[in-house]
Amino acid sequence: MATNWPRLNLAAGPVEVTARTLRDQSRPVLYHYDPAFIETFARVNDLLKLVFRTNYDTIIMQGEAILGLEAAAASMISPGDQVLNLVSGVFGKWFQDFIEAYGGETVELAVPYNDAIDPEDVRRALAANPGIKFLSVVHSETPSGTHNPVREIGRIAREFGVITMVDTVSGLGGELLSPEDWGLDVAVAGPQKCLGGTPGLSLMTISPAAWAAMEARKPRPLRGSFLSILDWKATWLENRRFPYTPSVTEIYALESVLVQALEIGMERFVDRHQQVAAACRAGARALGFALWPARDDIAASCVTAIKTPDGLDEARLRSVMRHRYGVTISPGYGELNGKLFRLGHMGPAQAHPTVLAAQLAVLERSLADIGWPVQFGAGTGAAMAALTDWDDAAS
Ligand SMILES: *Cc1c(COP(=O)(O)O)cnc(C)c1O
């Protein structure tokens, strides 16, 4: 018998998309040089600027966000360049591989994976290492359910003339960004996290300083490569051409999720994620769980990471939720596997009281199923009690 499909995909991305996204994605596939597709691609870039809240150039690379992150390293780092890599989780640590694959030298500033980077430590590290040229940081560490103070970090980097590479794959839509104001030189997001879109694209903003760094790369600028951001500048930005065929249907889906986010409005879009995340934390605590993040003010708005208590078989819990009730949540990732599990609330379809209530109710039922003591209604009740400001009809 084939595995049943889930009813609710509340994983750490990709997540369920709205019916409207599915419908918009199913338009006929256009030839990418058809004037209608050129118009669509231009419009999607304009929408992306509004969602990122930037006037910087946007680049949409045609692969899941890891492509954009690797492309940032590959396009800017010259052999011997020092990169301050801020590590507060799995994705931060992984970025070191990209730095070193392209000849960079890593200077690491790390904190435990339940904590966030202190901007003052960044200042000290940059002051102590005047040779540092780039800084890499993860905005929202999805595997840890934490976020870093990227605004403060980016501003400090700018004071030192250091160019930033920012993984905001799950941060865009979970916090209000401002690339110019925050000193974000290359920011990379994914449509399949808080925007609630389909996976397969890297959404990027590029500052003038980042373009200059790409042009200055030694021994020569990176061109003629799937990883080249400059190829996109020379084709799309300067000539309305493409370096290769874009993923036409993913662009339709992206347009749809950007329009949906802007209809809600970015302030409200972010506020909804933050409200549901706070309510989810209240629900988890009311069920007797401790949260993985060291403090609430560093808890991410895309997922809620719960510390696995002694004696709880979290893999069995997730399996019961998935197979008996059709609710998918995520385990810990990489070295965090087993140490935590993650409730999901990313995307406009999921960051909603109805879905949170269902998720917590199924969590309670599943805990009882595996013999974990639970007071039915404690988690859902606390979460709903915390949601005092919700109003779908408010504008
Ligand atoms: C999802 C995500 C990525 C992309 O990684 P995948 O494992 O390919 O989904 C990168 N960084 C962060 C912080 C993410 O949440």
Side-chain angles (χ1 to χ4, degrees), residues 49-276:
K49 282 191 171 66
L50 297 174
V51 165
F52 260 114
R53 307 187 337 136
T54 189
N55 289 316
Y56 285 162
D57 290 325
T58 52
I59 295 290
I60 304 171
M61 292 188 89
Q62 307 294 305
E64 200 279 329
I66 293 291
L67 169 64
L69 294 170
E70 183 168 358
S75 297
M76 293 201 296
I77 296 174
S78 303
D81 281 350
Q82 287 184 41
V83 183
L84 178 62
N85 189 36
L86 307 183
V87 178
S88 61
V90 175
F91 281 108
K93 186 68 191 175
W94 275 358
F95 200 79
Q96 182 174 348
D97 290 349
F98 293 148
I99 295 170
E100 292 172 8
Y102 297 99
E105 286 172 18
T106 310
V107 178
E108 182 178 277
L109 171 56
V111 294
Y113 287 7
N114 66 341
D115 209 337
I117 302 288
D118 180 343
E120 286 313 308
D121 288 339
V122 175
R123 179 184 296 286
R124 275 187 284 274
L126 293 178
N129 300 278
I132 288 172
K133 216 165 129 187
F134 299 103
L135 176 152
S136 43
V137 62
V138 176
H139 181 197
S140 166
E141 263 288 356
T142 325
S144 311
T146 55
H147 71 79
N148 279 312
V150 162
R151 174 178 55 186
E152 288 73 20
I153 291 168
R155 286 176 177 169
I156 290 168
R158 186 160 52 195
E159 277 177 44
F160 284 84
V162 166
I163 297 194
T164 59
M165 297 179 266
V166 181
D167 172 346
T168 185
V169 177
S170 70
L172 180 65
E175 194 178 1
L176 271 184
L177 292 179
S178 195
E180 282 90 337
D181 187 36
W182 293 16
L184 314 185
D185 291 302
V186 176
V188 183
Q192 78 277 26
K193 302 290 172 80
C194 288
L195 295 178
T198 59
L201 298 171
S202 294
L203 317 178
M204 310 172 68
T205 65
I206 315 286
S207 76
W211 285 128
M214 290 179 213
E215 297 288 358
R217 177 181 178 271
K218 300 281 182 305
R220 67 191 74 83
L222 180 71
R223 294 296 311 272
S225 163
F226 196 68
L227 289 167
S228 170
I229 307 174
L230 284 175
D231 283 357
W232 279 92
K233 183 168 190 276
T235 53
W236 175 254
L237 291 184
E238 291 168 4
N239 287 300
R240 289 292 185 257
R241 299 196 61 79
F242 300 104
Y244 44 81
T245 307
S247 309
V248 173
T249 53
E250 299 311 334
I251 297 297
Y252 298 158
L254 176 60
E255 178 179 21
S256 185
V257 299
L258 295 174
V259 167
Q260 290 172 68
L262 292 166
E263 281 175 3
I264 293 170
M266 288 318 290
E267 274 90 357
R268 277 179 74 214
F269 189 91
V270 163
D271 184 58
R272 285 181 174 199
H273 278 86
Q274 293 179 350
Q275 278 194 56
V276 167

Side-chain angles (χ1 to χ4, degrees), residues 33 72 116 119 164 172 190 217 222 225 238 269 286 292 295 297 299 324-325 332 336 344 360 374 392:
Y33 285 118
T164 59
L172 180 65
R217 177 181 178 271
L222 180 71
S225 163
E238 291 168 4
F269 189 91
W292 176 261
R295 302 178 300 284
D297 65 341
R324 285 200 195 170
Y325 305 105
L336 300 177
L360 290 169
V374 62
D392 275 352

